[in-house]
Amino acid sequence: MAIIVKDGCFKLDTKNTTYAFHITKFGFLMHTHYGAKVSDVNLDYVFPLVRNRSYINSPAEDTGMVLNLTDAPQEYSGFGVGDFRTTALRIRHNDGSRAADLRYCDYEIIDGVVQPEKLPCATLNDAQNVQTLKITLKDSATDVYVNMYYTVYEDTDVITRFNEIINKGNTPVYVEKAASLQLDLFNRDYDLVQFEGRWAQERHMKRAPLASGTQGFVSRRGTSSHNHSPFFCLCEHSATETAGGVYGFHLVYSGNHRTEVEVAQFDNPRVLMGINDEGFCWKLDGAEKFTTPQAFMTYSADGFGAMSRNLHKFIREQIFRPKWKGVRRPLLINNWEATYFDFDQQKLIDLATTAGKLGIELLVMDDGWFGHREDDKTSLGDWVPYKKRLPAGLKPLAEGINNAGLKFGIWMEPEMISEDSDLYKAHPDWVLEIPGRGRSIGRNQYVLNLVNDEVKEYVVGAIFGVLESANIEYLKWDMNRHLTEVYSATLSADSQGEAYHRYVLAVYEILDRVITKFPNLLIEHCSGGGGRFDTGMLYYSPQIWTSDDTDAIERLDIQHGTSFGFPITSMGSHVSAVPNHQSGRVTSMSMRANVAYSGTFGYELDINKLTDEEREMIKAQTAFYKENYDIINNGDYFRFAKNDHFVSWGFATPDRKEMLIFFVQLEGGPNGSDAFVKLNCADNAVCYKDIESGKTYYGDTLKNIGLCFPLTQGERKAYCKHFKAE
Ligand code: GLA
C-alpha cells in the first residue's frame, strides 16, 4: 500500500522513500518527513521543539489562531495569517484583503492517477502500485478550498503533486500565487544545485550551500527559458554521484516559473515551486477553480546518479506519451547548419539521397521553406511553400525524400508572426501587445496573441494545412523569441494577470490537437535551441533540440547538466561541421559523434561536401548508433567523471550485462598519464569482455580500480568502450 492514513497521520511510501505529514491540533497540516523510508506512521514525537514552538505556546491558542505559524513545517502555507516566510498561496479577496488560513477538511485515497485538467502531466502508462491522496483544505474565513493531489509511484520513487484552488463563495477571489509544490525541511545542511544558462550555453550545473534568506531562480520570459529549466536538486553537502541524499524536483510547465528556497530564522528551509507569481493573477468567480501545473519529486539516498536514473525512467515511462515509450525514433539529418536559407527542392533531395546511403532515416527541412523567406526578417505566419524553393509545393519534395528511403520532417514556428507577412497585413492586431505602447521586436518577429481564440484557431488550421499537404512524419516546432507586452484585448482588465498562463495553455491545447489529429507525428521541440527544455514540452514531444550550440566540447557541459534531470533520449544531439559555427572550434569527426551519440542522434552538415572517407565514417557511426540504440535510449545512464582534464559517462543495461562507456580527453600534457574511471555501473559478479580488444575484466576491478584511459599529448580525444558479459 503506497498510502497509509492513521490517527490523522498520512504516510506516502515508495520503494525507497517516505513522505509524511499529519493534522495538528488546530487543523494545520504539519510536514514531518521526506527522504529515505521510515516505518513510523506518526512522526510527531520526533519533533518536540518544532511542535511546541509552533503549536502550543501560542498566545492566541483559544481562538485557534497561531501566531508562530512561521516556524512550523507545513504542507501548504497561506499568506497573511502569521507565516512570515514566503508562502505557497496568496489570495486577494473581493474586499481587497489578502489572507488564506488553510485548515484541514478531508481526505480521499484514489487508485491510480488524478491529472490536472488541460495541463501536461504524468500518466499511468503501465505503472503498477500507484495511488493518489487527495487532501482538502479550507480557508477558515471564506469559502476558498484547496485540493492537494499527491500521486505516489511506488516503483519509481516518484511523487507527483498539483493543487486546485476553488472558490465556492459568491464573490470573486483573485489567486495571486499558487505553488505546485511546497516542501518544508528541518535544517539547512543542503546544497542547492541549479542548472543555469543562456542561449547556446544551457543548463550548466551550479552547486552552492544554502544560505540564510531566499535563493532560487525564475523565468519571466513567458517560456521556461534558456536561463533555467524548471528543474533543480537539493542535496546533502557530502552528496556525490554515488552516495548521499539528493532530492530532484521538476515542474511540468513551459511558461514563467519560480523556485524559491528560503532558509528561515531557525535554519529551516522552505522549498516552493510553481508558476511565477510576478505578473500573475487569476480571477475565480463563484464555483470556479484554478489548477496549478503538476510538479514531481524524487529522493535518493544513493547520490545524484540514482536520483537522475529515477527521473529518467519516470519521464520516459510516465511523461512521454505511451506512443513513444521505448519506441525507436529515426536517425535524422537537419539542413539548418548544412544550408541555412540557401536551399531548394533539388538540394534537399540530393542531401536525402546521400543520407540514405549512409544509414540516415529522416530529413528535416528547417527554416526558409515558406512565404518568401530569404532570411529571418519575413514570412512567419504564412505557412505556404515558398515558390522559389519549392515550386510544386511540399508533396513532390516529400515524395523525393521518401523515394530516397527517408522520412520527411518539417520546421515550423507556429507561435510567431513577421511584420513582412500576408498574415500581418491581414491581422496586425493579432500580435501580443499593450494598446498605447510600442511593440518589442525580437529576431525581427512578434509573438501571436494565442490568448485570442481566433488567433489560436488560425494557428491550428495552419499547422493542420501543412501536415495534411504531404507525407510529413516529423515536426520541428520552434519558438525563437520571448514574450513581451503580454496583454489580450479578449480579457477584462481584472483578468489580464491570466494572460501569460493562458498563452501557455493555448500552446498546450494546440499541441494536443495536433497530436490527436496526427497520432503518428513525431514532434521535436525547440526554442532557439534549448530555451523550452522542460517536462511540459516532453509530454508532447519526446525529444527537444538541446542547444543551438553543436560544438562537441561545449555540448559536454550542456548535455552533462541536462542529464541530471532529463533522460538522454530526450536530448537532440547532432554532428555538425567544423570549424563549428558557434564556437569556431575544430574537433574530429569521431569526437563529434562520440559526444552526439548520447542523445537523439543526427547530423546537421552538408554531407555532400564531405570526403569519401568522412562519409564512410558516417556510415559506421549510424550503424553503431542503431546497434546501440536501446542501451543509449532506454538503458541506465551514469556520470563517471567531469574535471578539467577529462569527462566520462556511460550506459548499462538494467541487468548490467552490457556497458557502453564514453571518455573525452580535454587537454593533454607533455608527459602523459593515466586516467582511471571507476565504472560504478559494473556488476561485481560479472566478467566483462571489451568487444574491441577482446580483453576481459572482472566487474569489481572496473568498479573499484577503474578502467584506464591514456591522457596523451594533444587535445580532445574521444573513446568509446563497449563491454559485454562473457
Ligand atoms: C532556431 C533553432 C535552430 C534553427 C533556427 C532556424 O535558432 O534553434 O535549430 O531551426 O531557429 O531559424
Side-chain angles (χ1 to χ4, degrees):
M1 279 253 291
I3 297 169
I4 301 166
V5 183
K6 199 172 153 204
D7 302 332
C9 298
F10 299 86
K11 185 165 173 282
L12 282 47
D13 280 336
T14 68
K15 207 158 54 181
N16 300 297
T17 71
T18 293
Y19 186 101
F21 56 92
H22 64 248
I23 310 163
T24 61
K25 188 171 169 189
F26 298 117
F28 294 102
L29 285 187
M30 174 171 163
H31 177 79
T32 47
H33 179 60
Y34 183 40
K37 202 161 186 167
V38 298
S39 31
D40 274 327
V41 177
N42 186 344
L43 289 161
D44 196 20
Y45 74 96
V46 185
F47 306 97
L49 183 62
V50 172
R51 189 187 56 208
N52 290 341
R53 196 194 285 140
S54 306
Y55 295 95
I56 299 199
N57 301 333
S58 165
E61 187 171 330
D62 290 345
T63 65
M65 297 298 286
V66 183
L67 287 178
N68 287 332
L69 210 52
T70 199
D71 305 320
Q74 296 175 68
E75 274 305 294
Y76 204 65
S77 51
F79 177 88
V81 293
D83 188 332
F84 303 114
R85 292 167 289 183
T86 181
T87 42
L89 183 69
R90 192 168 65 244
I91 300 274
R92 176 160 53 87
H93 300 275
N94 208 30
D95 62 1
S97 64
R98 286 181 174 84
D101 177 26
L102 301 173
R103 310 290 175 114
Y104 171 80
C105 287
D106 206 357
Y107 83 93
E108 190 186 344
I109 295 176
I110 302 151
D111 279 331
V113 300
V114 178
Q115 300 181 318
E117 282 169 23
K118 298 182 179 164
L119 283 158
C121 58
T123 64
L124 188 60
N125 186 16
D126 295 334
Q128 306 289 313
N129 307 323
V130 178
Q131 282 188 320
T132 300
L133 173 66
K134 175 183 175 187
I135 296 271
T136 302
L137 307 173
K138 181 185 178 301
D139 175 29
S140 60
T142 67
D143 284 323
V144 172
Y145 288 77
V146 176
N147 289 333
M148 304 195 291
Y149 295 90
Y150 302 75
T151 298
V152 185
Y153 289 81
E154 208 174 329
D155 295 342
T156 34
D157 283 333
V158 168
I159 298 177
T160 69
R161 298 172 60 171
F162 76 93
N163 307 302
E164 292 168 340
I165 321 301
I166 307 165
N167 178 15
K168 292 191 181 169
N170 300 321
T171 51
V173 299
Y174 299 83
V175 181
E176 293 184 333
K177 180 180 182 186
S180 298
L181 172 151
Q182 171 171 336
L183 179 64
D184 282 7
L185 296 164
F186 298 92
N187 67 62
R188 68 193 270 175
D189 295 334
Y190 296 99
D191 291 346
L192 173 63
V193 185
Q194 44 181 314
F195 300 87
E196 55 90 43
R198 57 206 68 80
W199 175 78
Q201 289 183 307
E202 297 89 338
R203 289 172 295 286
H204 287 215
M205 183 200 189
K206 287 272 145 58
R207 177 173 175 171
L210 288 183
S212 295
T214 304
Q215 47 247 278
F217 53 90
V218 298
S219 168
R220 305 180 184 91
R221 293 175 180 269
T223 66
S224 48
S225 90
H226 297 88
N227 308 124
H228 292 284
S229 294
F231 162 70
F232 76 104
C233 308
L234 278 182
C235 66
E236 290 169 0
H237 295 317
S238 59
T240 64
E241 273 297 324
T242 52
V246 184
Y247 298 94
F249 303 92
H250 263 287
L251 185 68
V252 189
Y253 193 56
S254 313
N256 290 345
H257 56 90
R258 172 181 289 275
T259 290
E260 300 168 275
V261 184
E262 181 176 1
V263 178
Q265 60 180 351
F266 293 108
D267 281 350
N268 42 336
R270 164 168 292 170
V271 176
L272 293 178
M273 197 177 200
I275 288 182
N276 188 352
D277 53 316
E278 291 169 88
F280 173 83
C281 180
W282 197 276
K283 183 181 177 190
L284 288 181
D285 281 319
E288 285 183 349
K289 75 175 174 199
F290 175 76
T291 305
T292 71
Q294 190 176 64
F296 61 93
M297 55 194 188
T298 190
Y299 173 82
S300 163
D302 300 318
F304 285 97
M307 183 278 309
S308 292
R309 287 187 289 280
N310 287 350
L311 294 178
H312 291 183
K313 190 166 191 303
F314 185 73
I315 292 170
R316 287 194 315 243
E317 294 186 353
Q318 304 306 337
I319 297 289
F320 287 0
R321 294 259 165 141
K323 160 89 194 153
W324 299 114
K325 185 184 159 187
V327 170
R328 186 158 106 64
R329 288 177 253 125
L331 201 161
L332 66 85
I333 182 157
N334 179 304
N335 76 307
W336 179 240
E337 288 195 23
T339 66
Y340 294 104
F341 291 103
D342 180 20
F343 69 90
D344 58 17
Q345 176 170 315
Q346 196 50 50
K347 207 170 196 177
L348 295 182
I349 292 177
D350 290 348
L351 208 55
T353 307
T354 309
K357 292 180 192 146
L358 304 182
I360 296 170
E361 300 159 317
L362 163 79
L363 180 133
V364 182
M365 174 175 64
D366 211 279
D367 194 356
W369 62 267
F370 51 92
H372 57 281
R373 191 144 159 111
E374 287 292 334
D375 52 30
D376 63 13
K377 294 193 177 60
T378 79
S379 305
L380 291 168
D382 296 348
W383 300 108
V384 286
Y386 186 8
K387 287 253 165 343
K388 185 180 119 183
R389 299 194 205 288
L390 308 171
L394 292 170
K395 208 157 186 236
L397 170 66
E399 282 166 6
I401 307 272
N402 290 162
N403 289 340
L406 276 75
K407 293 176 192 288
F408 173 56
I410 199 165
W411 178 98
M412 289 183 81
E413 199 179 351
E415 299 158 69
M416 297 293 151
I417 181 167
S418 307
E419 197 158 340
D420 181 358
S421 67
D422 292 344
L423 185 66
Y424 188 87
K425 273 182 212 121
H427 300 287
D429 56 325
W430 278 10
V431 171
L432 212 49
E433 64 173 338
I434 302 174
R437 286 185 188 278
R439 301 160 165 184
S440 305
I441 196 150
R443 209 200 189 205
N444 309 300
Q445 64 201 48
Y446 299 119
V447 183
L448 284 168
N449 177 13
L450 300 180
V451 177
N452 179 342
D453 283 344
E454 208 187 340
V455 183
K456 182 175 69 192
E457 291 309 317
Y458 170 82
V459 171
V460 171
I463 299 173
F464 284 8
V466 169
L467 295 178
E468 275 165 346
S469 70
N471 184 24
I472 299 172
E473 297 180 73
Y474 186 98
L475 172 65
K476 178 177 173 186
W477 177 306
D478 208 342
M479 201 284 189
N480 279 316
R481 64 152 287 183
H482 295 127
L483 275 56
T484 54
E485 290 87 38
V486 176
Y487 175 92
S488 179
T490 57
L491 297 173
S492 61
D494 61 353
S495 292
Q496 290 299 334
E498 301 174 14
Y500 272 112
H501 183 55
R502 284 192 186 277
Y503 179 92
V504 181
L505 291 177
V507 173
Y508 289 153
E509 183 193 322
I510 298 168
L511 279 160
D512 207 65
R513 287 165 69 180
V514 170
I515 284 167
T516 307
K517 190 162 169 70
F518 303 94
N520 295 323
L521 181 77
L522 174 55
I523 301 182
E524 173 191 7
H525 194 71
C526 175
S527 177
R532 209 156 50 174
F533 205 116
D534 55 65
T535 44
M537 281 299 155
L538 284 178
Y539 179 75
Y540 304 99
S541 75
Q543 59 197 65
I544 299 180
W545 184 223
T546 318
S547 176
D548 271 349
D549 196 332
T550 54
D551 173 79
I553 300 297
E554 294 282 314
R555 277 292 184 120
L556 290 173
D557 281 324
I558 298 167
Q559 294 178 193
H560 171 261
T562 307
S563 79
F564 278 82
F566 299 90
I568 303 311
T569 190
S570 67
M571 294 186 219
S573 182
H574 302 167
V575 171
S576 61
V578 287
N580 178 268
H581 296 189
Q582 293 78 37
S583 68
R585 192 179 271 132
V586 176
T587 50
S588 70
M589 185 71 126
S590 135
M591 151 84 75
R592 280 174 273 157
N594 272 315
V595 174
Y597 287 144
S598 294
T600 47
F601 184 58
Y603 291 84
E604 188 146 346
L605 76 174
D606 191 345
I607 48 179
N608 284 325
K609 288 191 183 144
L610 300 179
T611 62
D612 286 346
E613 193 192 344
E614 285 171 322
R615 275 194 286 268
E616 281 307 308
M617 287 175 84
I618 292 186
K619 218 187 220 173
Q621 290 168 355
T622 59
F624 171 89
Y625 188 74
K626 286 177 196 171
E627 203 178 306
N628 293 292
Y629 186 92
D630 204 49
I631 190 170
I632 293 174
N633 288 273
N634 303 317
D636 291 340
Y637 176 76
F638 294 81
R639 290 173 294 263
F640 302 124
K642 188 167 191 302
N643 56 46
D644 291 344
H645 305 289
F646 59 89
V647 185
S648 182
W649 69 96
F651 302 86
T653 50
D655 64 5
R656 301 293 183 262
K657 292 274 166 35
E658 195 179 340
M659 305 186 294
L660 195 62
I661 312 298
F662 292 92
F663 179 94
V664 173
Q665 174 188 327
L666 295 172
E667 51 185 44
N671 297 319
S673 59
D674 291 328
F676 283 89
V677 174
K678 290 184 178 172
L679 303 185
N680 58 60
C681 55
D683 181 337
N684 287 347
V686 169
C687 182
Y688 292 95
K689 184 172 183 173
D690 175 342
I691 299 298
E692 204 184 8
S693 68
K695 216 167 149 183
T696 52
Y697 299 82
Y698 284 105
D700 49 9
T701 307
L702 291 172
K703 192 185 241 173
N704 300 322
I705 299 176
L707 181 65
C708 182
F709 290 93
L711 290 176
T712 53
Q713 280 183 327
E715 287 193 9
R716 301 172 198 138
K717 295 189 180 74
Y719 305 92
C720 173
K721 292 273 177 196
H722 194 173
F723 293 96
K724 281 191 178 163
E726 273 257 272

